[in-house]
Amino acid sequence: MITDESNEPSRLVRTSFFIACILALIAKIYCGATTFGTNDTGLFELYGRAVAEVGLEETYRTSTHFNHTPFLASILAVMHVVSSNTGFSFPLLLRLPGIFADLVVCLVLWRLVVRERPGIVPIWWCVVFALSPVCFMVSGYHGNFDSVMAMFLFLSAYQCVRGNSDLSAVFLALAIHVKVAPIIVSPVFFFFWLARGKGVRFFLVTSALVLAVWLIPLVQYPTIFLRNVLGYSSYWGTWGITYWLRLTGNPDMHLVSFYGLTAIQKHIMLGMKIAVLSAVLGIAWRRRKCEPEGIFTTLSLVWSAFFVFAPGVLLHYLVWPSCCVLLYSRKLYTLLLVTGSVFLFLCYTVINGGIPWDKGLFRVDVLELWLPFSNIPWFGFIILLIAMLRDGTLNVPPRETH
């Protein structure tokens, strides 16, 4: 964990931070109000209408594409009703939660750096994070809920620093209700609290809050729910190892999809998921006794392993690590910020047919034009993983144990 001497923020830095937050907020809202976004915007609007009109079970049953949680499905239905009856733009409504989630993360990061752990990074880096192009493009343009998920995960980690296991459990449960991806990193939080004698309580609170919403679909239509929501494996061929396997020319590896895959594609994806899960469990266990602020280093290491070995990654996933890497290393955060920003900008420009952006569609005819750019951030995560392993992050120093 890289730290600096603590210092009270100057008036210039404080003013710059709040101006940056306001400018980022205005820019994202303007983008959300004047553009349609990507395919996800149209899909979410259709899903919201379907859930509102025929219910959640029927939506799961009739659409294998619909792989979202009951909580998120309810949010989409509410957005559809509000948009239909008030005239508010659905694309804007869809992006507002992520836009304000970014703002919350910025404000909590500021509090962490200034009050909770002064000196963990120079304060002016909060300004850099507030102006992140990755956050702007994902939250302000794409049209998804990944920024909301990332916010709840960051708040869960923040409560680890503050020593509040119950609130950490609440925020982790909320993150899982937005997307099931946080289940991947949940061992980090469980082992962290287990090492402090609160693991069972943390597990029970988190599980109770998740099951309170999932109980009905698990009881009434478990097969459909588990298949659509927990069975989702992301897209083969869009990222990293599966991208390069697709380029081998083997016809059994050519399809870019998350359903209808060949047997060999399914076997490879299953093996990669097992590898990721094994890495997460190993990292979480070995770093369970880290200092409270070390939770951000643990999450950075886990996310780096995930993004290197994941069978599929989509553009909006790049906000998942949030500012965790920043709290570990400014140089490595800058690397991810640059590589991620370049990839997103090039990809969104390609699917829009140029600038300005409005309706960006991931069509088959532009697939080969943007897919190679995914290697830019993938190599960034490879460098991050290698750097963290060489830095000895798997070995928790004696001073961090309790």
Side-chain angles (χ1 to χ4, degrees):
M1 179 73 66
I2 300 175
T3 60
D4 295 276
E5 294 298 323
S6 61
N7 61 290
E8 188 68 21
S10 65
R11 177 177 295 181
L12 176 61
V13 173
R14 186 184 299 272
T15 302
S16 298
F17 170 71
F18 288 106
I19 290 177
C21 288
I22 293 172
L23 289 177
L25 181 66
I26 293 173
K28 292 171 186 175
I29 292 177
Y30 176 79
C31 183
T34 57
T35 63
F36 178 82
T38 66
N39 303 59
D40 285 352
T41 304
L43 285 174
F44 279 139
E45 189 166 11
L46 291 175
Y47 295 151
R49 180 185 301 125
V51 174
E53 293 178 355
V54 302
L56 183 59
E57 179 181 0
E58 188 62 23
T59 305
Y60 281 138
R61 191 181 305 278
T62 57
S63 175
T64 55
H65 290 270
F66 186 69
N67 48 41
H68 302 288
T69 64
F71 173 80
L72 190 57
S74 300
I75 297 297
L76 292 174
V78 170
M79 287 183 173
H80 166 71
V81 172
V82 171
S83 177
S84 301
N85 291 281
T86 65
F88 277 100
S89 162
F90 185 89
L92 176 59
L93 289 175
L94 178 65
R95 285 174 275 189
L96 283 179
I99 291 171
F100 284 101
D102 286 346
L103 178 61
V104 170
V105 173
C106 288
L107 296 176
V108 175
L109 175 65
W110 176 266
R111 181 180 177 85
L112 176 70
V113 171
V114 173
R115 297 185 181 181
E116 305 284 350
R117 290 297 187 273
I120 193 171
V121 293
I123 298 171
W124 62 269
W125 276 91
C126 294
V127 179
V128 176
F129 180 77
L131 297 175
S132 165
V134 171
C135 292
F136 170 78
M137 287 183 276
V138 172
S139 302
Y141 175 71
H142 188 101
N144 213 304
F145 291 86
D146 297 79
S147 298
V148 180
M149 184 204 84
M151 174 194 70
F152 285 132
L153 276 180
F154 177 68
L155 291 177
S156 183
Y158 174 68
Q159 294 303 324
C160 290
V161 176
R162 302 190 70 196
N164 193 324
S165 64
D166 288 346
L167 278 180
S168 180
V170 169
F171 287 125
L172 177 60
L174 286 171
I176 293 172
H177 280 312
V178 175
K179 285 178 173 277
V180 296
I183 294 176
I184 299 170
V185 298
S186 60
V188 171
F189 297 96
F190 172 70
F191 288 133
F192 176 92
W193 290 115
L194 186 67
R196 287 151 180 81
K198 300 179 180 180
V200 174
R201 180 183 178 91
F202 175 82
F203 175 78
L204 291 176
V205 173
T206 304
S207 300
L209 292 173
V210 171
L211 289 176
V213 179
W214 286 12
L215 188 59
I216 293 178
L218 283 174
V219 171
Q220 295 185 353
Y221 41 96
T223 303
I224 301 172
F225 175 73
L226 294 175
R227 180 199 68 194
N228 283 39
V229 180
L230 298 182
Y232 177 66
S233 300
S234 193
Y235 280 79
W236 168 280
T238 61
W239 180 268
I241 294 173
T242 63
Y243 168 83
W244 290 103
L245 287 174
R246 180 174 177 267
L247 290 189
T248 62
N250 188 325
D252 288 335
M253 299 186 185
H254 186 72
L255 179 64
V256 177
S257 181
F258 68 90
Y259 66 95
L261 300 175
T262 64
I264 189 171
Q265 286 176 310
K266 293 178 181 178
H267 291 324
I268 292 174
M269 293 185 85
L270 176 61
M272 295 176 71
K273 287 192 287 187
I274 293 174
V276 169
L277 179 59
S278 300
V280 171
L281 289 171
I283 294 168
W285 176 257
R286 294 192 62 170
R287 288 194 52 84
R288 67 192 185 281
K289 295 182 179 180
C290 66
E291 290 288 342
E293 63 269 22
I295 190 74
F296 299 112
T297 299
T298 307
L299 287 170
S300 297
L301 188 55
V302 162
W303 282 129
S304 66
F306 168 82
F307 278 96
V308 170
F309 297 106
V313 166
L314 298 178
L315 284 77
H316 40 94
Y317 294 7
L318 293 184
V319 296
W320 290 3
S322 188
C323 53
C324 292
V325 180
L326 171 60
L327 294 168
Y328 168 72
S329 167
R330 281 95 69 195
K331 289 182 179 179
L332 294 173
Y333 171 75
T334 302
L335 170 68
L336 294 188
L337 184 64
V338 172
T339 56
S341 298
V342 170
F343 168 51
L344 292 177
F345 177 79
L346 291 175
C347 183
Y348 289 137
T349 300
V350 167
I351 65 174
N352 274 276
I355 297 175
W357 301 346
D358 180 19
K359 183 179 290 186
L361 302 179
F362 291 94
R363 305 184 309 273
V364 175
D365 59 305
V366 298
L367 186 67
E368 304 299 340
L369 297 179
W370 68 264
L371 272 183
F373 297 137
S374 67
N375 288 295
I376 299 173
W378 184 57
F379 284 123
F381 280 105
I382 291 176
I383 295 172
L384 171 63
L385 180 59
I386 293 174
M388 295 194 74
L389 292 177
R390 291 184 61 181
D391 201 28
T393 51
L394 279 177
N395 304 312
V396 177
R399 63 182 177 82
E400 290 189 294
T401 59
H402 296 272

